Amino acid sequence: MLSVLRNRTYRHLFAAQAIALVGTGLATVALGLLAYDIAGADAGSVLGTALAIKMVAYVALAPAIGAVADRLPRRALMAGADLVRAAVALALPFVDQVWQVYVLIFLLQSASAASTPAFHAVVPSVLPAERDYTRALSLSRLAYDLESLFSPALAAALLTLMTYNWLFLGTVAGFLASAVLVVSVILPKQVTSEPRDGSVRTGATAGIRAFLAVPRLRALLTLDLAVAAAGAMVIVNTVVYVRDELDRGAADMSLALGAYGGGSMAVALLLPRLLDRSSDRTVMLGGALLLPLVFTALGGLTTADGAAWRWPALLMIWAAFGAACSMVLTPTGRLIRDSAPPEERTAVFAAQFSLSHGCWLLTYPLAGWLGTAAGLQWAVVSLGAIALTAGLGAIRLWPSQEPGPVEHEHSSLHAGHPHLADAVRRGGGWRHSHHYSADGLHAHR
């Protein structure tokens, strides 16, 4: 897997991603402490609102940014987003009003909505070989999982030596280092799409329309919903299970979240070899169908009376959730790369980024409100039903036998258009064949 790091360009981009993730993790810990200083007992409400603002920024802005991102220099876009995030992190220690926190969080997450899809869209160009790209996706998944384990531990160690405000400086340093690493490489020549008619709003919705045009990408949206149902259950209700249901100490909450991350990491390490032998469809649908089974096990644990076996069972269930989610999430980049031409990838990645976070915007409050108002069992049943319905929907939407290359003709594109690189002039148009792509150049299916 680490062989892809021999590629200097990818090595720098991956390092930029990993360092920025650590900086974000430090900021998450510091933000919680800042909210407590400002709002006291209402800190949970402040953080909940900040999380909602994050999701709204992702859902609303990512498609709009994706609509114009392919016409901007990619290095400048990613490095500029890092500089914006560094500036916001530098300002956070000086705020003393809740509304200031909300404004800065919106700016921070808006910059992330620009940077993340651009990063995911450029990696297939840097590593065009299927084997290399698959391993890069697994490394990216590992980076996210390791950050969830490493950043809190690093923050805890640093807080023994300094106040939490200094953690924001660690965040600033992380984003600045990420920007330096991005500008230190030369990216492959950028393929741009034809200018779209109409407003940025039209261009933004075009990315989503292109995403929803391909059956396997429509299935991906339902798979994202299944993952969001499981992930929200873990993120929102781990503290409830550990402290209230099982009556364990605060330190055990980290162990439970670590089990979730460990399950995800284990699968990310195994997937490159598995994907060499199995299709994306088999792996991703297998992960989605595993989720309802894990929810069933969680339902049994939730209704059982107090017993010593419930704590190790919870760790196993959380690890299974992480493993199943990783089976769905890790191959996602391959699916999008194979479904969109290079000039449309940023817009389609941005659409997926927005739509997937829309799923989280639905499941986060559902996991919290149901668990509080009706009890954990109802939250388990409801989110498990969502995961099951989404998994079955993905099976229906994703054909088991996808069509091969389709021969067709373009009569409205000019000579020299990037899409016509392999086309042959026939009569009044250009004729070629390829697998169906999610773009504005072909009729929707």
Side-chain angles (χ1 to χ4, degrees):
M1 183 187 298
L2 297 180
S3 61
V4 294
L5 294 177
R6 296 171 187 163
N7 182 304
R8 179 181 181 274
T9 299
Y10 176 70
R11 184 170 67 249
H12 282 223
L13 291 176
F14 175 73
Q17 180 198 27
I19 292 171
L21 283 173
V22 172
T24 301
L26 293 178
T28 300
V29 175
L31 185 61
L33 297 171
L34 174 64
Y36 185 80
D37 271 1
I38 294 175
D42 293 329
S45 175
V46 172
L47 289 176
T49 303
L51 183 62
I53 289 172
K54 169 184 175 179
M55 292 300 167
V56 168
Y58 284 174
V59 172
L61 294 182
I65 295 169
V68 298
D70 61 343
R71 296 180 189 83
L72 301 174
R74 291 180 293 193
R75 284 196 309 171
L77 176 64
M78 291 188 289
D82 282 333
L83 294 178
V84 170
R85 293 191 288 185
V88 170
L90 189 61
L92 276 169
F94 302 100
V95 306
D96 56 7
Q97 300 291 326
V98 170
W99 69 266
Q100 295 170 345
V101 174
Y102 295 157
V103 170
L104 290 176
I105 290 299
F106 182 79
L107 293 175
L108 180 70
Q109 302 306 335
S110 298
S112 295
S115 176
T116 304
F119 169 82
H120 289 305
V122 76
V123 173
S125 301
V126 174
L127 298 172
E130 180 87 9
R131 180 182 176 87
D132 291 341
Y133 183 52
T134 300
R135 279 145 183 77
L137 291 175
S138 290
L139 274 179
S140 183
R141 184 75 249 152
L142 283 172
Y144 280 104
D145 293 330
L146 284 172
E147 183 276 324
S148 68
L149 302 175
F150 176 71
S151 293
L154 177 62
L158 291 175
L159 286 172
T160 64
L161 304 173
M162 61 188 70
T163 63
Y164 72 83
N165 279 336
W166 290 98
L167 296 184
F168 288 118
L169 291 183
T171 300
V172 173
F175 287 137
L176 291 178
S178 176
V180 170
L181 286 165
V182 168
V183 299
S184 70
V185 296
I186 303 298
L187 299 179
K189 184 177 179 181
Q190 192 165 349
V191 180
T192 59
S193 60
E194 288 291 286
R196 298 183 179 95
D197 296 330
S199 64
V200 172
R201 179 181 177 184
T202 301
T205 58
I208 294 177
R209 291 196 305 271
F211 183 89
L212 298 177
V214 180
R216 57 182 176 272
L217 293 185
R218 291 198 293 270
L220 176 59
L221 179 56
T222 67
L223 292 173
D224 285 332
L225 180 58
V227 167
M233 191 70 207
V234 171
I235 293 170
V236 174
N237 288 317
T238 293
V239 65
V240 182
Y241 274 101
V242 172
R243 301 307 304 274
D244 292 344
E245 287 291 307
L246 302 180
D247 194 26
R248 300 188 69 88
D252 286 337
M253 180 178 169
S254 297
L255 290 177
L257 292 174
Y260 176 80
S264 179
M265 290 167 58
V267 168
L269 287 169
L270 294 172
L271 271 184
R273 291 186 178 181
L274 179 60
L275 288 171
D276 286 341
R277 300 189 297 269
S278 302
S279 68
D280 294 342
R281 184 181 187 273
T282 299
V283 172
M284 296 175 74
L285 292 182
L289 294 179
L290 177 59
L291 288 173
L293 298 178
V294 183
F295 269 110
T296 301
L298 181 60
L301 181 146
T302 306
T303 57
D305 294 331
W309 62 266
R310 296 176 75 204
W311 169 238
L314 181 71
L315 294 180
M316 293 176 62
I317 289 170
W318 258 221
F321 269 138
C325 289
S326 188
M327 289 174 68
V328 175
L329 293 175
T330 303
T332 293
R334 286 174 29 134
L335 204 63
I336 296 175
R337 180 205 59 182
D338 293 341
S339 303
E343 65 271 16
E344 297 285 343
R345 277 181 190 152
T346 302
V348 177
F349 269 106
Q352 196 273 335
F353 186 80
S354 173
L355 293 170
S356 64
H357 282 89
C359 296
W360 287 91
L361 192 58
L362 169 67
T363 58
Y364 267 141
L366 192 59
W369 295 341
L370 273 176
T372 301
L376 284 175
Q377 186 62 33
W378 279 105
V380 172
V381 170
S382 299
L383 291 170
I386 289 174
L388 176 61
T389 303
L392 295 177
I395 294 175
R396 182 177 180 84
L397 289 170
W398 194 339
S400 57
Q401 297 294 329
E402 299 206 55
V406 177
E407 187 172 357
H408 58 283
E409 184 175 298
H410 295 278
S411 57
S412 59
L413 300 181
H414 61 78
H417 188 283
H419 185 67
L420 302 178
D422 61 345
V424 176
R425 186 75 176 180
R426 296 273 182 87
W430 298 86
R431 196 159 190 84
H432 67 170
S433 65
H434 57 74
H435 289 277
Y436 184 70
S437 296
D439 58 29
L441 304 178
H442 304 87
H444 289 186
R445 290 189 176 182

